[in-house]
Amino acid sequence: MSTISLTTDFGIADWYVGTMKGVILGIQPRANIVDLSHEIPPGEIRAGAFALAASCRFFPKETVHVVVVDPGVGSERRAIAARTMNGFFVGPDNGVLSWALARERIKAVHQITNRRLFLHPVSNTFHGRDIFAPVAANLSRGLPIEKVGAPIKEFVKLDWPEPQRSANSIKGEILYIDRFGNAITNIDRAALPSPDESAWEIFLRRKRLCALQAFYQAVARGQPMAVSGSSGFLELAVSGGSAAQNFNLKVGEEVIVRVRSGF
Amino acid sequence: MSTISLTTDFGIADWYVGTMKGVILGIQPRANIVDLSHEIPPGEIRAGAFALAASCRFFPKETVHVVVVDPGVGSERRAIAARTMNGFFVGPDNGVLSWALARERIKAVHQITNRRLFLHPVSNTFHGRDIFAPVAANLSRGLPIEKVGAPIKEFVKLDWPEPQRSANSIKGEILYIDRFGNAITNIDRAALPSPDESAWEIFLRRKRLCALQAFYQAVARGQPMAVSGSSGFLELAVSGGSAAQNFNLKVGEEVIVRVRSGF
Amino acid sequence: MSTISLTTDFGIADWYVGTMKGVILGIQPRANIVDLSHEIPPGEIRAGAFALAASCRFFPKETVHVVVVDPGVGSERRAIAARTMNGFFVGPDNGVLSWALARERIKAVHQITNRRLFLHPVSNTFHGRDIFAPVAANLSRGLPIEKVGAPIKEFVKLDWPEPQRSANSIKGEILYIDRFGNAITNIDRAALPSPDESAWEIFLRRKRLCALQAFYQAVARGQPMAVSGSSGFLELAVSGGSAAQNFNLKVGEEVIVRVRSGF
């Protein structure tokens, strides 16, 4: 058995994801196909990039990760496949693979041009079905990556919003809001200005919001907190509730961590 | 491994779909079960019929397609299984299989009556679990279709809304609105009145809406267009947006394609 | 192949469920992973308990059922694994497994403490990924349950809301509202006060609501009815509509069944 992960903005109401799986299983019947998310907001390349980067290292070696968040489908944008020490990454060359690839040891990146691998006629609106699914299934079966097309040196990389550090504080932003209303920031726990967790205070909109806690129920129900989240980043949360809703948080909003005076 | 596709109006919040999969895997542990959609609007037989017809030809040979959009469950409506050159189709005899079967070479259609295949007691509200799942799993394992019940000559067929053609125009309607807000019509690209794509204009509510384009980003963000969609039908879309939302489109609404004067 | 079922409150928009599957497949590539539901309302332990109890008996023998509805993640709450005659049950010791286990013949219950099975570092916010997924995958591969940790005698059990019986009536409550707006009660059909179905009348808010019917379309479209639902409990429904919406039903609301006078 071999694993193929799918990340798209297709939603699950229509037949698009299921059709990709039908195409994959026709080529590689032994695929374990895993849905990473199909609820990436339409065309939101950064959300797709973050979902993949936050999860791909938990998959088996040799997994083929397919991401189709592809507003430029049918245009001149390239399609690419990358081989790393851990597996394969397949998708449009619009940056959606780039945050995951930034953490990988890349062995090769190839443009996907071999039309013999595609479904025909190739539509101009659904390369997930006609190009990415058959290419991923073939890679999963052992097709050498050289067969998908010529190697390329450069591919589109999204900027990572780097937090700004000073002596006693770090300024970051909200990257992603999850289903629980937890707001995941770009502030890496390892980057925090003091090793003593009790020294940290989190500020939102120039006002102190909360302290850092070890887990969600460490504060009373309805109270805000920050935790070191499962993706390795600082998260704002509300115990038994939704931080996003309580504080009307949005992606891109500024979050500041300061060392308390006295530390 | 063998593939079984599932299309239902069960949604994914409840345990209904998972229970069907549990039943299937108890009979056929080597099934690759693919969700086509479980978000067919409750009881909307035409939406289920369209989802299946738009996607079933992309599945491996011998796939068993199960559709449970079944407002008449427990009543006298029949359950049927069809064998075609490509695979099997299993569901209630209410027309939900008929648009897919209209494009298939049918070898046999049987009424499902063999109670030895069913789960007992058979509920009156969940034939997906008690009848369709075990019958599909058995067919997937190689049970001859004759074993499900007696052959039948007729089954319920939904009308297909045929577009109306004239010398310079074709009048169709919106069949389905997808997650991106793209409106899929019943106008087959092959049926369009002129082979020159630049000659076509699309009219909505007696006003010119847009021209045909090759892909979504061919027009500026926010602009309307028509494309030849991945299902083979003309789609109304908005680049980087939702045509359904921008123009308040509804299923059943009239769409007209005309050849521009001068062509 | 072996089956692992997943029930969580993670939703499907984020990468959490997919990440659990990646972890499982890295340990047990031959797992058939079935989603029971990921739309349990956040932290609603009783909804998760009911979903599992309503469906687990339809799964193959030796299925490993994993439930992660876990508001206390990271706190002192225990993690447990149970072995029954039918399979395995893995989750937090907060009662979410207890309604399913109440119907099972239990062979052993163990606390999960063997850190060699866990992913490291173990997060304080995502034990689904770091503890429950790898433990479930190992059990699915044949790891003896003794290896997960020491046996325990007691575990947290949720109260089951027992209906109140009198000579001519039974008083229950709404336990769960499904996607169709059907309201599933705690009134077991077998417990009903008369074997003659036509003798029953259902009362809501002190007024007669409807009679019991054999199936949904037994009454005219838009009319209320009760049916003996697929979970074995009395359900309130509206033919071709939503009982929850029509009558503004809520979980916990009282429902009374009476024998009609004359019977």
Side-chain angles (χ1 to χ4, degrees), chain C residues 102-122:
Chain C
R103 300 170 167 207
E104 294 278 318
R105 285 181 57 193
I106 298 174
K107 295 166 76 173
V109 184
H110 290 251
Q111 186 175 359
I112 297 172
T113 54
N114 182 356
R115 294 181 64 84
R116 290 196 305 192
L117 301 172
F118 303 170
L119 261 55
H120 295 281
V122 175

Side-chain angles (χ1 to χ4, degrees), chain A residues 192-209:
Chain A
L192 278 159
S194 156
D196 184 345
E197 298 185 1
S198 65
W200 302 341
E201 295 191 301
I202 287 85
F203 286 74
L204 181 78
R205 298 169 198 156
R206 295 165 189 268
K207 284 164 64 178
R208 181 186 181 285
L209 179 71

Side-chain angles (χ1 to χ4, degrees), chain B residues 17-234:
Chain B
V17 171
T19 305
M20 284 182 66
K21 293 180 182 174
V23 171
I24 288 170
L25 292 171
I27 296 167
Q28 163 58 308
R30 297 173 66 79
N32 279 321
I33 306 176
V34 174
D35 300 305
L36 206 47
S37 172
H38 301 293
E39 300 294 338
I40 305 298
E44 293 282 348
I45 294 168
R46 293 165 71 95
F50 192 66
L52 181 66
S55 56
C56 63
R57 69 197 157 99
F58 294 98
F59 279 75
K61 286 260 178 193
E62 300 305 295
T63 293
V64 181
H65 298 283
V66 183
V67 188
V68 193
V69 182
D70 192 13
V73 59
S75 72
E76 290 298 306
R77 71 98 186 88
R78 300 188 298 185
I80 58 172
R83 174 100 182 85
T84 75
M85 293 297 283
N86 291 315
F88 297 89
F89 296 78
V90 175
D93 184 24
N94 60 15
V96 77
L97 303 177
S98 65
W99 285 351
L101 289 174
R103 299 168 168 210
E104 294 278 318
R105 286 181 55 194
I106 297 173
K107 295 166 77 173
V109 184
H110 290 250
Q111 187 175 359
I112 298 171
T113 54
N114 181 355
R115 295 181 63 84
R116 291 196 302 190
L117 302 173
F118 302 170
L119 260 56
H120 295 280
V122 175
S123 71
N124 277 328
T125 56
F126 194 5
H127 287 187
R129 179 191 70 192
D130 300 335
I131 295 178
F132 298 119
V135 165
N138 275 290
L139 290 172
S140 167
R141 279 183 71 192
L143 183 82
I145 194 166
E146 297 76 35
K147 302 283 187 181
V148 309
I152 55 177
K153 293 229 168 87
E154 292 300 325
F155 57 94
V156 175
K157 295 183 178 81
L158 297 183
D159 283 337
W160 176 260
E162 204 61 52
Q164 297 168 35
R165 293 172 178 77
S166 69
N168 290 313
S169 75
I170 184 161
K171 180 159 73 180
E173 65 183 73
I174 295 172
L175 277 188
Y176 189 94
I177 292 172
D178 77 8
R179 115 94 154 198
F180 297 96
N182 298 333
I184 305 176
T185 73
N186 61 341
I187 303 175
D188 191 332
R189 185 187 165 147
L192 278 159
S194 156
D196 183 345
E197 299 186 2
S198 65
W200 303 341
E201 294 191 301
I202 287 85
F203 287 74
L204 181 77
R205 298 167 197 158
R206 294 166 189 267
K207 282 163 66 175
R208 181 185 181 285
L209 178 71
C210 59
L212 187 90
Q213 305 293 344
F215 56 94
Y216 297 127
Q217 287 191 342
V219 298
R221 196 175 174 83
Q223 292 302 306
M225 91 197 75
V227 292
S228 175
S230 61
S231 308
F233 296 107
L234 203 74

Side-chain angles (χ1 to χ4, degrees), chain A:
Chain A
M1 305 300 296
S2 71
T3 303
I4 297 177
S5 90
L6 302 182
T7 306
T8 76
D9 60 357
F10 293 168
I12 58 161
D14 310 315
W15 54 86
Y16 303 137
V17 171
T19 305
M20 284 182 65
K21 294 179 182 174
V23 171
I24 288 170
L25 292 171
I27 296 166
Q28 164 58 308
R30 296 173 66 80
N32 279 321
I33 306 175
V34 174
D35 301 304
L36 206 47
S37 172
H38 300 294
E39 301 294 339
I40 305 298
E44 292 282 346
I45 294 168
R46 294 165 70 95
F50 192 67
L52 182 66
S55 56
C56 62
R57 69 198 157 98
F58 294 98
F59 279 75
K61 286 260 176 191
E62 301 304 294
T63 293
V64 180
H65 298 283
V66 183
V67 188
V68 193
V69 182
D70 192 13
V73 60
S75 72
E76 291 298 307
R77 71 99 186 88
R78 300 188 298 185
I80 58 173
R83 174 99 182 85
T84 76
M85 294 298 282
N86 291 315
F88 296 90
F89 296 78
V90 175
D93 183 24
N94 60 14
V96 77
L97 304 176
S98 65
W99 285 351
L101 289 173
R103 300 169 167 207
E104 294 278 319
R105 287 181 55 194
I106 297 173
K107 295 166 77 172
V109 185
H110 289 250
Q111 187 174 358
I112 297 172
T113 54
N114 182 356
R115 295 181 63 84
R116 290 196 304 190
L117 301 172
F118 303 169
L119 261 55
H120 295 280
V122 175
S123 71
N124 277 327
T125 56
F126 194 4
H127 287 187
R129 179 190 69 192
D130 300 336
I131 295 178
F132 297 119
V135 165
N138 276 289
L139 290 171
S140 167
R141 280 183 70 192
L143 182 83
I145 194 166
E146 298 76 36
K147 301 283 187 181
V148 310
I152 55 178
K153 292 230 169 87
E154 292 300 325
F155 57 94
V156 175
K157 295 183 178 81
L158 298 183
D159 283 336
W160 175 260
E162 203 61 51
Q164 297 169 35
R165 291 171 180 78
S166 69
N168 291 314
S169 75
I170 185 162
K171 181 160 72 180
E173 65 183 74
I174 295 172
L175 277 187
Y176 189 94
I177 292 172
D178 77 8
R179 115 94 153 199
F180 297 96
N182 297 333
I184 304 175
T185 72
N186 61 340
I187 302 174
D188 191 333
R189 185 186 166 148
L192 278 159
S194 156
D196 184 345
E197 298 185 1
S198 65
W200 302 341
E201 295 191 301
I202 287 85
F203 286 74
L204 181 78
R205 298 169 198 156
R206 295 165 189 268
K207 284 164 64 178
R208 181 186 181 285
L209 179 71
C210 59
L212 187 89
Q213 305 292 343
F215 57 93
Y216 296 127
Q217 288 191 341
V219 297
R221 197 177 173 83
Q223 291 302 306
M225 91 198 75
V227 292
S228 176
S230 62
S231 310
F233 297 107
L234 204 74
E235 285 179 27
L236 307 185
V238 160
S239 182
S242 163
Q245 217 163 50
N246 283 24
F247 301 105
N248 193 24
L249 302 176
K250 305 280 178 223
V251 167
E253 189 155 5
E254 185 181 281
V255 173
I256 296 179
V257 179
R258 289 211 190 114
V259 179
R260 273 201 284 150
S261 55
F263 274 82

Side-chain angles (χ1 to χ4, degrees), chain B residues 1 8-19 21-33 35 38-43 70-76 119 123-126 129-130, chain C residues 1-3 12 30 32-40 47 50-52 54-61 176-180 182 184 189 213-217 221 227-231 235 240:
Chain B
M1 306 299 297
T8 76
D9 60 358
F10 293 168
I12 58 160
D14 310 315
W15 54 86
Y16 303 137
V17 171
T19 305
K21 293 180 182 174
V23 171
I24 288 170
L25 292 171
I27 296 167
Q28 163 58 308
R30 297 173 66 79
N32 279 321
I33 306 176
D35 300 305
H38 301 293
E39 300 294 338
I40 305 298
D70 192 13
V73 59
S75 72
E76 290 298 306
L119 260 56
S123 71
N124 277 328
T125 56
F126 194 5
R129 179 191 70 192
D130 300 335
Chain C
M1 305 299 298
S2 71
T3 303
I12 58 160
R30 296 173 65 80
N32 279 322
I33 306 176
V34 174
D35 300 305
L36 206 47
S37 172
H38 300 294
E39 302 292 339
I40 305 298
F50 191 66
L52 182 66
S55 55
C56 63
R57 70 196 157 99
F58 294 98
F59 280 75
K61 286 262 177 190
Y176 189 94
I177 291 172
D178 78 7
R179 116 93 152 200
F180 297 96
N182 298 333
I184 305 175
R189 183 185 168 151
Q213 305 292 344
F215 56 94
Y216 296 126
Q217 288 191 341
R221 197 176 174 83
V227 292
S228 175
S230 62
S231 310
E235 286 179 28

